[in-house]
Amino acid sequence: MARVVSIFLPTWPTDRIRRKLGAAAPSAEAPLVLIGRDGRRRVVLAADAAAQAAGLRVRMPVTKAQALVKGLVVMDADPAGDAEALERLALWALQRYAPIAAADLPDGIVMDVAGAAHLHSGEDAMAKGIVERIAAAGVAARAALADSWGAAHALARFAARPAIIIPPGGSAKAILELPIRALRLPKDIVDGLRVLGFESIGELAATPRAPLALRFGSELGRRLDQAFGRISEQIDPLRPPDLIEVRRAFAEPIGAAETIARYTGKLVVQLCQALEAKGLGARRLDLVFHRVDNRIEAIRIGTALPVRDVKRLTRMLCDKIETVDPAFGVEIMRLAASVAEPLEDKQTISSLTEEPEADVSALIDALANRVGEDRIYRFAPVASDVPERSVTRIAPLAPDTGEAWPDHWPRPSRLLPVPEPIDAMALLPDHPPVSFTWRGVRRRVKRADGPERVFGEWWKRDAELVAVRDYFQVEDEAGERFWIYRAGDGEDAATGSQRWFLHGVFG
């Protein structure tokens, strides 16, 4: 079953212009519209959120828009540039998230993530992660994940705030209350349906098809069937010109798992030869199956390091074949290295006394493709005295950052992601608590060491210019050891709230 993600970029043209201009862009508070020509008239072609909130709409005359909004920033639209940038965004999605991705002009991208969501901790985490990454780049985004392109497209534009995930089999029910313009119908058909009193998709679905087809043609029924998943709507996947890809077409469709596995091995051999010719190794492989019923199935695997090992890649791909539904047969198989990186040759050991370096990359790949790439990582130190900023997650086989773990003071083996407030009784300003209450349990302090004063990083924000924390290592009567701190120096309110927090647990 297809699982389609539709990403809607409601203010894409204006967001792109702001990113392109950088520091020279109008401030976020200044309403911005992009204009073009409709015949002889100059009209608004795109408006940002501030302009829309002020009542400006697409196709509104520019003179009217300027009269309505004081200080309106007006710039020329660039539809060709918008489309080109959208293609680049779809290429990013192809390399990062799904083997089947394409631009959904004029304001979105679409992906079939079946066979790839497991690499990103599941569908929910994947959809929300996409929205967060795009938003972090300064582009507003909403996402919907459903069983069909039509349903996902409609939900992304009329239901996602900012993301909505519809369970398999629930897309048809989820779109019934959406307006009819969510069906991607031409404006004249939408206007005609409204004249007849239709407002929602559910009302259309409950109406006999023949009278509607007689008046509006076959387009209305086709869009309804696509949204409900009754007929397939194939996503034409983006294929960058430098993509390393091999394919196999079959005179007679294949469907047996053993046959698919055999041809998978042959494709891997061909792909590895192509990678070797360019000195590359695969970091992400996409195996795409074109079925005879015009549907596409796909498998995606990732590796921690560039790989060109035929047996290893074949085994990883074949482990996922059980997730593919060949239906009435597969007529084309394509294998592509959507992400490839230089693969350097390594010198083998030349002495009987040398120990071979342990290679755990195969184990990491197996775990990452089973539980998700985002869940396999290791910690690395960061040059910062603030404890929560002194550690970061990096890829499991990423090179060392060059930083060393602090050793001047002991650190807890378990650092809480967010310090938790505690109720503590202590003699200010420099004494440790004699008791504290954490998660409803009161603990008497038997031993304590400290304080260790940590200063704020004033170069990051002004609020940390005078902020300090006083950390203590404390041990309760049961022998459990904790890392707690007081926000502030115990005297001056400007240095912190003087409240107590628990930040870690020792061993």
Side-chain angles (χ1 to χ4, degrees), residues 5-8 86 89-90 92-93 102-104 107-111 134:
V5 174
S6 178
I7 308 297
F8 173 46
L86 207 58
L89 185 62
W92 167 79
D104 189 5
D107 53 13
I109 60 176
V110 61
M111 300 176 286
I134 296 177

Side-chain angles (χ1 to χ4, degrees), residues 31 47-57 60 64-65 68-70 72:
D48 68 358
Q52 293 177 23
L56 304 188
R57 295 293 179 264
M60 175 182 287
K64 182 178 179 181
L68 288 175
V69 179
K70 185 178 180 180
L72 180 66

Side-chain angles (χ1 to χ4, degrees), residues 168-226:
S171 300
K173 183 178 180 181
I175 65 174
L176 292 178
E177 301 300 322
L178 299 183
I180 54 177
R181 58 194 178 99
L183 287 174
R184 298 174 292 169
L185 292 168
K187 186 176 184 300
D188 58 337
I189 295 182
V190 173
D191 293 341
L193 290 170
R194 284 177 173 169
V195 169
L196 296 179
F198 292 101
E199 294 293 338
S200 69
I201 295 176
E203 293 171 353
L204 276 179
T207 303
R209 185 73 58 89
L212 294 175
L214 184 63
R215 179 158 184 171
F216 298 103
S218 61
E219 177 75 0
L220 175 57
R222 184 173 68 89
R223 288 303 192 188
L224 273 172
D225 289 338
Q226 287 174 343

Side-chain angles (χ1 to χ4, degrees), residues 61-86:
V62 175
T63 53
K64 182 178 179 181
Q66 291 175 319
L68 288 175
V69 179
K70 185 178 180 180
L72 180 66
V73 179
V74 177
M75 303 184 71
D76 290 330
D78 181 17
D82 294 337
E84 183 180 348
L86 207 58

Side-chain angles (χ1 to χ4, degrees), residues 244-422:
I244 301 175
E245 183 179 41
V246 294
R247 69 192 297 272
R248 182 73 176 249
F250 305 99
E252 294 291 336
I254 63 173
E258 297 81 2
T259 307
I260 293 175
R262 183 169 69 254
Y263 283 106
T264 296
K266 294 180 179 181
L267 288 174
V268 171
V269 171
Q270 296 176 33
L271 185 71
C272 287
Q273 291 173 349
L275 290 169
E276 185 176 8
K278 296 187 176 183
L280 301 174
R283 285 294 311 276
R284 201 175 296 278
L285 286 183
D286 296 330
L287 182 57
V288 180
F289 305 87
H290 294 262
R291 302 187 337 193
V292 296
D293 60 357
N294 203 35
R295 290 184 180 270
I296 296 178
E297 297 275 324
I299 295 173
R300 166 165 282 194
I301 62 169
T303 61
L305 295 173
V307 175
R308 208 165 55 216
D309 185 324
V310 172
K311 291 184 178 179
R312 179 169 163 185
L313 294 176
T314 301
R315 182 177 65 252
M316 294 170 64
L317 288 168
C318 289
D319 286 344
K320 298 292 182 181
I321 286 179
E322 63 182 16
T323 64
V324 175
D325 178 15
F328 298 107
V330 174
E331 57 184 0
I332 299 175
M333 289 174 58
R334 292 189 293 106
L335 179 62
S338 53
V339 179
E341 296 177 358
L343 179 61
E344 299 179 358
D345 295 329
K346 290 185 178 181
Q347 176 69 42
T348 60
I349 59 174
S350 57
S351 170
L352 295 177
T353 60
E354 291 184 34
E355 290 290 336
E357 184 179 349
D359 183 8
V360 298
S361 61
L363 174 61
I364 291 174
D365 291 344
L367 292 174
N369 285 282
R370 181 178 295 272
V371 303
E373 292 177 345
D374 297 341
R375 297 184 180 181
I376 307 296
Y377 55 85
R378 64 186 177 94
F379 291 110
V382 177
S384 176
D385 286 336
V386 180
E388 60 266 32
R389 300 175 186 165
S390 65
V391 61
T392 187
R393 294 181 180 183
I394 62 175
L397 296 180
D400 290 335
T401 60
E403 300 291 339
W405 294 103
D407 56 2
H408 53 285
W409 280 91
R411 290 291 183 260
S413 56
R414 179 191 171 198
L415 190 71
L416 300 184
V418 179
E420 298 185 9
I422 58 175

Side-chain angles (χ1 to χ4, degrees), residues 17-27 73 75:
I17 289 295
R18 290 186 188 277
R19 281 176 46 80
K20 182 179 179 180
L21 295 177
S27 66
V73 179
M75 303 184 71

